[in-house]
Amino acid sequence: MDAHNNSISASPTSAHANSVFAHVVRAPEDPILGVTVAYNKDQSPLKLNLGVGAYRTEEGKPLVLNVVRKAEQLLVNDMSRVKEYLPIVGLADFNKLSARLILGADSPAIQENRITTVQCLSGTGSLRVGGEFLAKHYHERTIYIPQPTWGNHTKVFTLAGLTVKSYRYYDPATRGLNFQGLLEDLSSAPAGAIVLLHACAHNPTGVDPTLEQWEQIRQLVRSRELLPFFDSAYQGFASGSLDGDAQSVRRFAADGGECLIAQSYAKNMGLYGERVGALSIVCKNADVASKVESQLKLVIRPMYSNPPIHGASIVATILKDRDLFNEWTIELKEMADRIISMRHQLFESLRAKGTPGDWSHIIKQIGMFTFTGLNSEQVAFMTKEYHIYMTSDGRISMAGLSSRTVPHLTEAIHAAVTRAA
């Protein structure tokens, strides 16, 4: 018996031994989410978090849309609803309505039934499922992403099994689009390569191509037989128009070619924590779309089995009811308009202050984020001296700004530019 007890205590996983995970090193904080961690530790009443991409009201509070509250109440009051598992591909109404929202009700791809849509875990999950599908079933395993792009893109696609390369996108000199560099890099990409395109409100720069530039990009992508993969995280949130913000995607979907589209409802419905998204793949015909969906199921099943029901039910309830949909578009435009207003207020404030440099890019850029052009030393100075938190690349979330905090940010930027240059 004693020998038996001794053998138990000597086991490497027993209470008395060193941990089998003792060799694990502490990982660094996520560069975006880590900003909030640092912000939360700051005791200053002046502190301002412009790091994380989540909408805030003029009072600096999180917002739950009224239309979302109404939809949830309808769901709660419906006693016929149950908590059964959804199918692997998710809620059928949600999928159908999501495809219609991004492509338009009159889309040939929808009418010809050559699109498959699966519910995923917000934009990140949609990108990951799409990436894993491509790694298994597409002949070219290289994806080109814009430089810069959202920090998670590289990790998502690398872990999905793709090789990640970049194409030029942002021009620091003009704080605008490096369109010539973009065309040159995509022209030299190998035929068949995957190209990640931000549908609108490019993250982190806020710089989007014009419709004329989008048409040139489409022609180049199709002539080089590249495969476009759209990340649509801000439909309606950029300009205030759902249709306007979908124009880039619709151009590609209407030309008869194939493409992938990842959608998120985190920003435009404020459903951040519900993790609601969709992956659509536009195919050449209905038979191919059906086969693609069958393989998407095999990607999803061992990953998370099937998606959650609540958030998708909120979205479907809003999208299929005309009154709720109209109310959503009004609230959505109010959010977009407040962000646009913050851009103008910050620009005017910096100009009135006489802050050195051209700050017109603030009002030329679009969407949740502005790429200020501030460097990492200036950002560190603003955090230390003014308790303003943002990512080290100088990206700020305009949605985290308010009329009350614009003067404080202006003071900090002015000081950073004039004293910490």
Side-chain angles (χ1 to χ4, degrees):
M1 192 68 179
D2 287 345
H4 178 64
N5 286 340
N6 287 341
S7 69
I8 290 174
S9 64
S11 166
T13 53
S14 73
H16 302 294
N18 287 332
S19 171
V20 294
F21 303 115
H23 65 285
V24 174
V25 297
R26 186 178 304 281
E29 292 280 5
D30 180 275
I32 298 175
L33 301 182
V35 172
T36 299
V37 173
Y39 167 83
N40 288 337
K41 291 177 182 174
D42 192 332
Q43 299 300 307
S44 171
L46 293 174
K47 68 178 182 177
L48 178 61
N49 187 1
L50 301 177
V52 176
Y55 183 83
R56 294 292 181 263
T57 64
E58 178 66 24
E59 295 72 41
K61 302 295 185 186
L63 176 69
V64 179
L65 300 185
N66 289 327
V67 73
V68 167
R69 298 267 195 217
K70 285 183 183 178
E72 284 191 305
Q73 202 57 57
L74 288 170
L75 295 170
V76 168
N77 293 343
D78 182 358
M79 299 310 291
S80 68
R81 282 177 55 77
V82 293
K83 300 291 186 183
E84 292 292 296
Y85 291 125
L86 285 177
I88 295 171
V89 297
L91 192 66
D93 270 358
F94 168 84
N95 291 338
K96 182 174 71 177
L97 293 162
S98 292
R100 191 182 298 169
L101 185 72
I102 189 67
L103 296 184
D106 58 350
S107 167
I110 293 174
Q111 291 172 352
E112 294 158 19
N113 218 26
R114 54 184 179 85
I115 180 171
T116 177
T117 303
V118 294
Q119 180 191 334
C120 297
L121 306 183
S122 203
T124 307
S126 304
L127 292 165
R128 181 64 184 266
V129 169
E132 294 213 5
F133 169 79
L134 291 170
K136 287 184 173 72
H137 300 286
Y138 187 59
H139 67 276
E140 176 58 66
R141 290 183 177 83
T142 302
I143 184 166
Y144 283 76
I145 63 176
Q147 177 60 38
T149 191
W150 179 47
N152 219 12
H153 278 146
T154 300
K155 298 167 195 167
V156 167
F157 290 122
T158 299
L159 289 171
L162 299 174
T163 299
V164 177
K165 294 186 177 180
S166 65
Y167 61 89
R168 282 172 284 174
Y169 189 88
Y170 178 72
D171 183 353
T174 64
R175 296 174 185 174
L177 182 66
N178 182 356
F179 190 55
Q180 194 56 41
L182 180 154
L183 295 178
E184 288 172 7
D185 288 352
L186 294 188
S187 293
S188 61
I194 309 155
V195 180
L196 182 84
L197 300 164
H198 293 232
C200 68
H202 179 274
N203 178 4
T205 69
V207 174
D208 285 354
T210 63
L211 285 178
E212 292 75 19
Q213 289 171 331
W214 270 120
E215 180 55 26
Q216 288 184 62
I217 293 169
R218 187 194 66 78
Q219 290 177 17
L220 174 60
V221 165
R222 293 311 190 196
S223 67
R224 294 285 303 149
E225 297 184 344
L226 306 175
L227 181 63
F229 193 155
F230 282 95
D231 186 353
S232 177
Y234 300 97
Q235 186 185 358
F237 201 86
S239 68
S241 166
L242 287 161
D243 291 329
D245 289 348
Q247 286 306 305
S248 59
V249 180
R250 292 179 186 180
R251 281 173 180 261
F252 281 79
D255 68 7
E258 294 174 303
C259 64
L260 292 84
I261 309 153
Q263 283 171 272
S264 166
Y265 289 95
K267 311 296 193 298
N268 59 13
M269 279 197 190
L271 296 175
Y272 304 96
E274 299 291 355
R275 312 309 294 142
V276 198
L279 172 70
S280 291
I281 304 184
V282 178
C283 304
K284 283 286 188 183
N285 57 57
D287 182 53
V288 171
S290 175
K291 291 173 182 174
V292 165
E293 181 169 305
S294 73
Q295 290 295 337
L296 286 172
K297 290 178 184 177
L298 298 188
V299 173
I300 293 168
R301 177 65 169 148
M303 191 187 289
Y304 54 84
S305 203
N306 49 69
I309 195 169
H310 186 67
S313 298
I314 295 170
V315 174
T317 300
I318 292 168
L319 294 185
K320 68 186 176 186
D321 182 285
R322 181 172 296 174
D323 291 339
L324 291 178
F325 181 86
N326 289 339
E327 185 173 344
W328 174 48
T329 61
I330 292 167
E331 289 194 83
L332 180 54
K333 188 163 190 330
E334 286 171 355
M335 288 193 290
D337 285 350
R338 195 186 87 75
I339 291 172
I340 292 167
S341 168
M342 287 302 104
R343 289 184 177 279
H344 284 274
Q345 286 186 41
L346 179 58
F347 170 69
E348 293 297 341
S349 182
L350 287 165
R351 191 164 66 169
K353 182 83 175 168
T355 304
D358 178 7
W359 298 95
S360 61
H361 59 283
I362 293 173
I363 51 177
K364 290 174 185 170
Q365 295 171 5
I366 192 168
M368 182 171 275
F369 301 109
T370 283
F371 224 41
T372 59
L374 297 166
N375 61 41
S376 57
E377 290 81 12
Q378 291 167 332
V379 170
F381 170 84
M382 289 168 62
T383 301
K384 182 172 183 288
E385 300 295 331
Y386 289 85
H387 307 275
I388 293 173
Y389 291 82
M390 66 184 89
T391 50
S392 60
D393 58 8
R395 183 196 84 165
I396 61 173
S397 172
M398 299 306 296
L401 206 53
S402 70
S403 301
R404 181 178 54 82
T405 55
V406 163
H408 181 55
L409 178 59
T410 301
E411 288 286 340
I413 291 175
H414 186 86
V417 169
T418 54
R419 284 184 253 172

